[in-house]
Amino acid sequence: MKIDTVPALTAVCAAAASEIGSPPRVGAAEFRAAMRHMGASVTVVTAGQGAKRRGMTATAVCSLSAEPPALIACVNKQSACHDAVLRSGAFAVNLLASAAGHEHLAERFAGQHGVHGPARFRDDEWMELATGAPVLRAAAVAFDCMLHDALDGGTHSILIGHVVATRSDPDRVTLLYRAGAYSTSPRTPAA
Ligand SMILES: Cc1cc2nc3c(=O)[nH]c(=O)nc-3n(C[C@H](O)[C@H](O)[C@H](O)COP(=O)(O)O)c2cc1C
């Protein structure tokens, strides 16, 4: 059976749920303990301009579609960045580089140095591409996105961004995060 519409898929899910019932969900602590083993590239998601700039470290980012070029970022609704994205209608995803002091940057944008708001941006060089969202000049790769939609995902919103510009530095290797530690990708990118 080919299912190619969302309403059809919803009906299939409802039918499956009524057949298997609703098993109890795992607790948040169990979920986090399992999820920390899922390695991912470390990014800083940014939005806004000037004094309204906000940014946060995020690993819950992935590709969504090639046509249109789109990605998703899962951003906590309580974060300052969440409001900045919704207010400005745009955001950038900056992939951090290993061997560029970016672990420190990741910690700062995760609030681990007690720095908040636009002060998180003061120690690095930033630029703009198409939307005006802050792009880290030293990022391994940056995606500049127009906000296409913000879907409810519980504590987080699933931000769908249509990519309007990219910037990449082939000499930089992306920084990874897994099980509470930062590391370097095993292979260097092709020239
Ligand atoms: C490695 C790492 C990955 C993170 N990934 C996410 C993420 O994908 N989404 C999210 O909402 N928060 C994520 N966080 C937490 C935010 O970076 C952190 O809560 C940040 O301080 C939010 O910004 P705010 O203090 O301005 O609200 C991550 C933190 C770390 C250290």
Side-chain angles (χ1 to χ4, degrees):
M1 177 176 48
K2 185 169 179 291
I3 301 164
D4 53 9
T5 64
V6 171
L9 185 59
T10 307
V12 169
C13 291
S18 74
E19 231 173 73
I20 60 175
S22 295
R25 294 175 190 169
V26 298
E30 182 179 342
F31 174 71
R32 284 198 194 99
M35 284 302 293
R36 70 194 296 273
H37 297 285
M38 193 181 281
S41 288
V42 183
T43 79
V44 169
V45 174
T46 56
Q49 288 171 291
K52 293 188 175 158
R53 283 186 295 181
R54 297 292 181 271
M56 53 169 271
T57 301
T59 49
V61 173
C62 82
S63 170
L64 173 64
S65 151
E67 289 289 342
L71 55 74
I72 58 170
C74 303
V75 171
N76 196 306
K77 292 172 187 169
Q78 304 291 325
S79 69
C81 194
H82 186 270
D83 282 357
V85 173
L86 265 50
R87 255 199 320 267
S88 65
F91 62 98
V93 173
N94 299 277
L95 266 76
L96 300 188
S98 62
H102 285 180
E103 289 181 22
H104 193 75
L105 203 154
E107 289 170 1
R108 182 170 2 113
F109 276 87
Q112 291 165 0
H113 299 174
V115 184
H116 297 279
R120 284 185 185 167
F121 292 80
R122 71 182 168 211
D123 293 340
D124 303 281
E125 272 190 61
W126 299 86
M127 57 183 289
E128 295 175 8
L129 294 178
T131 69
V135 166
L136 179 68
R137 203 173 276 282
V141 183
F143 298 89
D144 191 22
C145 306
M146 291 298 297
L147 178 65
H148 173 67
D149 208 347
L151 308 178
D152 181 19
T155 51
H156 288 51
S157 286
I158 304 158
L159 305 178
I160 301 178
H162 281 179
V163 181
V164 293
T166 67
R167 184 172 193 270
S168 57
D169 180 342
D171 293 329
R172 293 199 183 259
V173 178
T174 51
L175 182 67
L176 304 177
Y177 188 79
R178 184 180 160 276
Y182 294 97
S183 65
T184 307
S185 3
R187 287 188 310 143
T188 50

